[in-house]
Amino acid sequence: MEIEIWAEVTCPWCGLGSHRLDRAVERFEHGGEVEVVHHSFPLSSSFPVGETFSVRDALLHRHGMGGSQAEASTRRIEALAESEGLSPYQVLDNLVGNTDLAHEFLAHASAEGRNPEAWDAIFRAYFGQARPVFSLDDLLDLAQEIALDREGTRQALTEHRYQRQVRDDAARGRRLGATGAPFIVVDGRYGIPGTDGDAPVCGPDGCAVPQPASTGRSPTHPRSF
């Protein structure tokens, strides 16, 4: 069985979704027969290359969410991640930026046989350590951590060798029904938005956050940040 998951590097539901998928495969009786393949679904191409912004600023200026509203929404995601074994999982106190080069790095790593290792490493660095993963130097450090040749990676990224592949990867996801990330496809036939059909996703307009029960809203009708 092949399970494919389309994701954005800085999408908090994607990092959590990847973790959930790994745990599900581990618990599955036939987990040894399952291959998980990660694919790129970039959502931050509108950010200027070479610049980073705090999540707080991005929420305020792009989505009109600031102060206690931003705090409450993102802390709920962090608490959920912690309850599922991801700690720390840093969303609000982090940076965002253009991830196009990061996706090229992931495509290069995949071509070198490091698909799951590269995605695990980039989620761990970004959400677990609040490390930037946007610049060439950031990505070269990650390359060394997963035993990729640093100079070979530098050449692939400076030549943008995998730029077309990243675009094609995302286009295939959209053809299969993806409108946001994470998006899962089982054996090339069954598409699942989120990680269980109901889980919130990140899209071009932001990331959805389920409301707490006290609001009276159903968690299947999330708001975005």
Side-chain angles (χ1 to χ4, degrees):
M1 177 188 296
E2 181 181 68
I3 300 178
E4 300 172 276
I5 176 170
W6 274 260
E8 166 60 285
V9 171
T10 55
C11 156
W13 294 116
C14 295
L16 179 56
S18 179
H19 173 76
R20 286 173 169 174
L21 182 56
D22 287 344
R23 299 294 82 78
V25 171
E26 287 176 4
R27 293 190 299 266
F28 181 43
E29 181 181 1
H30 302 289
E33 301 170 19
V34 176
E35 180 185 12
V36 176
V37 180
H38 292 75
H39 297 287
S40 289
F41 200 80
L43 295 168
S44 61
S45 297
S46 62
F47 281 106
V49 175
E51 296 184 38
T52 57
F53 310 86
S54 72
V55 169
R56 294 174 188 271
D57 284 346
L59 289 174
L60 180 62
H61 294 111
R62 288 189 167 229
H63 306 298
M65 180 183 291
S68 60
Q69 189 181 21
E71 182 86 19
S73 296
T74 53
R75 297 305 187 202
R76 282 198 290 276
I77 301 176
E78 294 173 346
L80 180 59
E82 183 176 2
S83 74
E84 299 191 25
L86 287 175
S87 181
Y89 195 77
Q90 301 180 68
V91 179
L92 185 59
D93 300 318
N94 215 331
L95 298 173
V96 288
N98 187 299
T99 59
D100 289 352
L101 193 63
H103 286 289
E104 292 179 42
F105 162 76
L106 292 163
H108 167 66
S110 298
E112 296 294 317
R114 300 285 197 280
N115 178 276
E117 293 90 344
W119 280 89
D120 286 348
I122 207 164
F123 283 141
R124 185 169 58 250
Y126 182 71
F127 291 110
Q129 302 167 359
R131 286 167 50 188
V133 293
F134 310 103
S135 74
L136 178 60
D137 286 340
D138 297 335
L139 299 167
L140 293 179
D141 289 344
L142 277 177
Q144 286 189 277
E145 292 174 20
I146 59 172
L148 281 177
D149 179 72
R150 187 180 181 95
E151 290 310 309
T153 302
R154 182 194 301 275
Q155 186 172 2
L157 297 184
T158 54
E159 293 176 359
H160 296 289
R161 197 177 296 167
Y162 294 93
Q163 191 174 65
R164 176 65 179 272
Q165 181 176 320
V166 170
R167 288 199 297 265
D168 290 347
D169 223 12
R172 178 170 171 258
R174 287 190 291 270
R175 287 196 301 272
L176 289 168
T179 57
F183 180 75
I184 292 174
V185 172
V186 179
D187 279 343
R189 293 181 293 175
Y190 306 106
I192 306 169
T195 54
D196 58 15
D198 289 324
V201 299
C202 294
D205 296 324
C207 295
V209 182
Q211 294 299 291
S214 61
T215 66
R217 296 190 186 188
S218 165
T220 60
H221 296 282
R223 71 181 303 151
S224 293
F225 75 84

